[in-house]
Amino acid sequence: MAMETITWVKGQVKLIDQTLLPGKLKYIYCKDVKTLWEAIKRLSVRGAPALGVAAAFGVLLGLKKFKGKDSAKFVKHVADVCDYIGTSRPTAVNLFAALEEMKASAVMHRDCSVTEITKYLKKTAMAIYDEDRRVCRTMGKFGATLIRSGQNVLTVCNAGALATVDFGTALGVFYSAKAQRKKFKVYACETRPLLQGARLTTWELLRGGIDTTLICDNMAATVMKQGKVDAIFTGADRVAANGDSANKIGTYSLAVLAKYHKIPFYIVAPRSTFDLSIKSGQEIPIEERDKSEVINFQNQSTAPKQVKVYNPAFDVTDAKLITAIVTEHGIIKPPFRQNIKNVFK
Amino acid sequence: MAMETITWVKGQVKLIDQTLLPGKLKYIYCKDVKTLWEAIKRLSVRGAPALGVAAAFGVLLGLKKFKGKDSAKFVKHVADVCDYIGTSRPTAVNLFAALEEMKASAVMHRDCSVTEITKYLKKTAMAIYDEDRRVCRTMGKFGATLIRSGQNVLTVCNAGALATVDFGTALGVFYSAKAQRKKFKVYACETRPLLQGARLTTWELLRGGIDTTLICDNMAATVMKQGKVDAIFTGADRVAANGDSANKIGTYSLAVLAKYHKIPFYIVAPRSTFDLSIKSGQEIPIEERDKSEVINFQNQSTAPKQVKVYNPAFDVTDAKLITAIVTEHGIIKPPFRQNIKNVFK
């Protein structure tokens, strides 16, 4: 994938505006932290790993407003910028992890000058960016061992290049398998309400030359029943210490259906998506989004305005429904609580 | 419900154009059988019982073209009209059952004059229409015994007044429960790709004063996991002799999820929806519709044009996933093969 979802270019954050895909490939240039915050909020940039990188770059944008040479005040300013960015979206832990790294970097160098702290923060942000590129490729290689030639796989939402810097988590597995000349087909669930599967995943898989069939979310069970799915791969927004995994709404549904149809269900997520501070998925905050996402499509009404709507953006898949979690440290199998601890110790 | 979905008015079939709901309540007047065929094909009228009534009325429209007084030729003409209407949609058995009744009525009176046969055909069509109204109300009463005050129920697609003459099958159960002053809430799955749940079910339930919450299809599992669903009620398009039930795509998914979450799953379907000539759901033809339904919304593109799409309009729910089937003859419980035979003998 030659395309980069998020980059730091001459003091600005350059992003693909994913709300316009697949119709238009257009970039947004964020010069200040508010513009980036809004881009995150309206999902111009999304996907847990990409949100981590966006948050780190966002902190760099936020530094511009600081005037003066007082290092202590500067470190406090960094913390304030981090807190502000943290209000954009609650579920993906990568966003908070990146902000913590940036804060820690500032605190660690609090005895340096403002100019020097700024340099360290840039270094930290670029390390987060580089790490994402490296980690996705490593996960891809591990994950590709789970796909055999001739198989069909299924995915939901977009855990691809567009959810990371440039390669993807679940879709990175597909790109790696393709690079190894394995032959396989992908079913992409469209992923209501915002159609990340239809709009983003099919777009990037077709660009990558991968045989892709789009289905509506409610067709996945039938495709499984027909024996057309050999494995399911999804990303994650936050994985708890016991393996419970929050991901795009609809993932839990697929995991239950996979269990019933005896199909392996894999999560592909880097270490940065694990939140070992929480014991189980019950502690993961689930973002609820506006009803307009469900009752409108591009300004066209699809349901009566006065109807009540429940619109959670994520759900939690219980660890017992997950066959294995692919990470850059290797493939983690049950029992997850113990094995996650062992792998990340 | 004061509203009638389909009626015979002065030699024309008057239909609500359901493709325009919930935005516009507009009627189509079909003067000839081709106009009605097209209305069925593009889903201006849909829902198994409504399709039965539409088919019967369609035959009446088709009679107009016949010239002459030869009864044998007239009976042949009726058969030809029936065959033509039968090409509109393959899955709902009510459509074929109504056509068989109309054909049989003509054959039975083949010794009468053309004028007399025409009268008998009108009588048969009106009997199918009247029967739908009666049967839905009877199923509603039986089904309402399955809902207790304070419960939440979930449904998919539209099995309501808009899928029948004026009352509904699954939603008829809700109207009956409401008339009995039971308090309950309904979750309506939006039902991709054509959003019959969002567009039609929420519209008619709100008109009926029923507390309704719209969700995307991929959210149903989460709502079940949260303990918010006490029972699921859906219609059916064809029920086999063993209880396997074809219904709108997504129904099978809900049935598997219901099983996992230990939630009762009910089909509400009149005798006319049963096809006892087939042993199991494997023999039910499943209509596959155009990819444009999935990759476009109101002329707006939602996915790359070149992507492959799988778009089955229906799926089959295995009898073992069904708790009971509500019919106008009573509630049928497992073992279905035996009990269906007993109830309809």
Side-chain angles (χ1 to χ4, degrees):
Chain A
M1 305 299 289
M3 166 190 74
E4 277 197 312
T5 298
I6 180 165
T7 41
W8 178 257
V9 180
K10 296 176 190 167
Q12 299 179 27
V13 182
K14 182 185 171 191
L15 296 173
I16 295 177
D17 184 353
Q18 301 190 26
T19 64
L20 302 179
L21 286 175
K24 275 185 206 165
L25 175 56
K26 202 184 148 188
Y27 291 88
I28 298 172
Y29 292 84
C30 305
K31 294 179 187 177
D32 55 76
V33 67
K34 186 165 177 284
T35 309
L36 184 72
W37 188 95
E38 285 164 358
I40 293 173
K41 189 75 180 175
R42 70 165 179 272
L43 314 186
S44 291
V45 59
R46 26 66 51 203
L51 287 174
V53 177
F57 286 167
V59 175
L60 300 186
L61 294 177
L63 302 183
K64 294 181 186 176
K65 268 204 173 171
F66 185 81
K67 306 287 173 206
K69 299 193 163 183
D70 185 328
S71 293
K73 280 187 185 165
F74 186 61
V75 171
K76 171 71 172 65
H77 175 74
V78 170
D80 290 345
V81 171
C82 288
D83 290 347
Y84 170 65
I85 296 171
T87 62
S88 59
R89 297 196 71 196
T91 304
V93 75
N94 307 58
L95 189 143
F96 300 100
L99 296 174
E100 283 307 315
E101 268 195 74
M102 294 297 278
K103 261 194 230 180
S105 175
V107 170
M108 193 192 297
H109 302 99
R110 63 184 175 277
D111 296 333
C112 303
S113 70
V114 168
T115 312
E116 281 172 322
I117 300 173
T118 302
K119 272 188 196 163
Y120 282 115
L121 286 170
K122 276 195 185 160
K123 226 171 158 177
T124 304
M126 289 316 297
I128 292 170
Y129 167 90
D130 289 335
E131 176 76 353
D132 175 80
R133 301 188 67 229
R134 186 188 68 74
V135 149
C136 284
R137 284 160 178 81
T138 308
M139 289 191 297
K141 277 181 199 158
F142 283 124
T145 63
L146 301 169
I147 298 179
R148 285 201 308 275
S149 250
Q151 288 193 322
N152 294 342
V153 297
L154 182 145
T155 190
V156 64
C157 196
N158 174 270
L162 290 165
T164 58
V165 169
D166 66 351
F167 194 75
T169 55
L171 302 196
V173 169
F174 304 163
Y175 295 133
S176 296
K178 165 98 179 161
Q180 294 169 11
R181 307 207 174 184
K182 289 184 180 177
K183 291 206 165 111
F184 58 95
K185 292 182 185 179
V186 177
Y187 283 97
C189 295
E190 65 173 4
T191 319
R192 285 281 293 155
L194 294 179
L195 302 172
Q196 290 92 340
R199 295 190 301 106
L200 310 178
T201 292
T202 68
W203 182 78
E204 67 163 274
L205 288 180
L206 291 178
R207 276 173 66 111
I210 290 175
D211 188 338
T212 306
T213 300
L214 174 64
I215 57 171
C216 296
D217 304 308
N218 56 7
M219 297 168 186
T222 289
V223 179
M224 292 186 209
K225 189 185 185 185
Q226 292 168 344
K228 290 181 186 163
V229 180
D230 298 297
I232 297 172
F233 290 85
T234 83
D237 290 79
R238 193 182 297 214
V239 182
N242 71 343
D244 287 354
S245 299
N247 191 43
K248 176 57 54 196
I249 189 73
T251 304
Y252 170 64
S253 182
L254 292 174
V256 172
L257 295 170
K259 189 85 171 177
Y260 182 79
H261 295 94
K262 301 186 172 59
I263 295 166
F265 182 89
Y266 302 114
I267 295 278
V268 186
R271 170 67 184 87
S272 56
T273 298
F274 285 73
D275 183 355
L276 302 183
S277 75
I278 58 173
K279 284 184 190 168
S280 81
Q282 291 190 315
E283 295 173 55
I284 302 175
I286 298 297
E287 177 182 6
E288 284 186 31
R289 295 183 60 89
D290 198 77
K291 70 184 263 187
S292 64
E293 291 184 349
V294 176
I295 65 166
N296 291 295
F297 182 83
Q298 310 260 33
N299 301 324
Q300 301 244 27
S301 161
T302 58
K305 279 196 184 68
Q306 66 275 28
V307 74
K308 289 185 204 170
V309 173
Y310 177 54
N311 183 22
F314 302 92
D315 57 29
V316 174
T317 297
D318 306 306
K320 66 180 173 186
L321 297 171
I322 299 168
T323 309
I325 306 177
V326 179
T327 76
E328 72 272 32
H329 296 266
I331 298 172
I332 307 180
K333 292 185 180 167
F336 287 116
R337 197 186 303 272
Q338 191 54 49
N339 290 343
I340 288 172
K341 210 186 277 175
N342 293 345
V343 166
F344 294 142
K345 71 184 169 211
Chain B
M1 306 299 291
M3 169 190 72
E4 277 196 313
T5 297
I6 180 164
T7 43
W8 179 256
V9 180
K10 296 176 191 165
Q12 299 179 26
V13 182
K14 182 184 172 191
L15 298 172
I16 295 178
D17 184 353
Q18 301 190 27
T19 64
L20 302 178
L21 287 175
K24 274 186 205 164
L25 176 55
K26 200 185 147 188
Y27 291 88
I28 298 172
Y29 292 84
C30 305
K31 294 180 188 177
D32 55 76
V33 66
K34 186 164 177 283
T35 309
L36 183 73
W37 188 95
E38 284 163 358
I40 293 173
K41 190 76 183 175
R42 73 165 176 272
L43 314 186
S44 291
V45 59
R46 25 65 54 201
L51 286 174
V53 176
F57 286 168
V59 175
L60 300 186
L61 294 177
L63 302 182
K64 294 181 187 176
K65 271 206 173 171
F66 185 81
K67 304 289 173 204
K69 297 192 163 181
D70 184 328
S71 294
K73 280 187 184 163
F74 187 60
V75 170
K76 172 72 173 60
H77 176 75
V78 170
D80 290 345
V81 171
C82 288
D83 290 347
Y84 171 65
I85 296 172
T87 62
S88 58
R89 296 195 73 196
T91 304
V93 75
N94 307 59
L95 189 142
F96 300 100
L99 294 174
E100 283 307 314
E101 267 195 73
M102 294 297 278
K103 261 193 230 180
S105 176
V107 169
M108 193 192 298
H109 302 98
R110 63 184 176 276
D111 295 332
C112 303
S113 69
V114 168
T115 313
E116 280 171 322
I117 299 173
T118 302
K119 271 188 198 163
Y120 282 115
L121 286 170
K122 277 196 184 159
K123 227 173 157 174
T124 304
M126 291 315 298
I128 291 170
Y129 167 91
D130 288 336
E131 177 75 353
D132 176 80
R133 302 188 66 230
R134 186 189 67 75
V135 150
C136 284
R137 284 160 178 80
T138 308
M139 288 192 296
K141 277 182 197 156
F142 283 124
T145 63
L146 301 170
I147 298 178
R148 287 201 307 278
S149 250
Q151 287 192 324
N152 294 343
V153 296
L154 182 145
T155 190
V156 64
C157 194
N158 175 270
L162 290 166
T164 58
V165 169
D166 67 350
F167 194 74
T169 55
L171 302 194
V173 169
F174 303 163
Y175 295 133
S176 296
K178 165 98 179 163
Q180 294 169 12
R181 307 211 175 179
K182 289 183 179 175
K183 291 205 163 112
F184 58 96
K185 292 180 186 181
V186 177
Y187 283 97
C189 295
E190 63 174 6
T191 320
R192 283 284 291 159
L194 295 179
L195 301 173
Q196 290 92 340
R199 294 190 302 106
L200 309 179
T201 293
T202 67
W203 182 78
E204 68 164 274
L205 289 180
L206 291 177
R207 275 173 66 113
I210 289 174
D211 187 338
T212 305
T213 300
L214 175 63
I215 57 171
C216 297
D217 304 307
N218 55 6
M219 297 169 186
T222 289
V223 178
M224 292 187 207
K225 188 184 185 187
Q226 291 167 344
K228 289 179 185 165
V229 180
D230 298 297
I232 298 172
F233 290 86
T234 83
D237 290 80
R238 193 183 295 215
V239 182
N242 71 343
D244 287 355
S245 298
N247 191 43
K248 178 54 56 195
I249 188 72
T251 305
Y252 170 64
S253 183
L254 292 174
V256 172
L257 295 170
K259 189 83 170 179
Y260 183 80
H261 295 94
K262 300 187 170 61
I263 295 166
F265 182 89
Y266 302 114
I267 296 278
V268 186
R271 170 65 184 86
S272 55
T273 297
F274 286 73
D275 182 356
L276 303 184
S277 76
I278 58 172
K279 283 183 188 169
S280 81
Q282 290 190 316
E283 296 174 54
I284 301 175
I286 297 296
E287 178 182 6
E288 284 185 32
R289 294 182 61 88
D290 198 78
K291 71 184 264 188
S292 64
E293 291 183 349
V294 175
I295 65 166
N296 291 294
F297 183 82
Q298 310 260 31
N299 302 323
Q300 302 245 26
S301 159
T302 58
K305 279 195 183 71
Q306 67 273 30
V307 74
K308 290 184 204 170
V309 173
Y310 177 55
N311 182 20
F314 301 92
D315 57 28
V316 174
T317 297
D318 307 306
K320 66 180 173 186
L321 298 170
I322 300 169
T323 309
I325 307 177
V326 179
T327 76
E328 71 271 34
H329 295 265
I331 298 172
I332 307 179
K333 292 186 180 165
F336 286 116
R337 195 186 305 270
Q338 191 54 50
N339 289 342
I340 287 171
K341 208 185 279 179
N342 292 345
V343 165
F344 293 142
K345 72 187 169 209

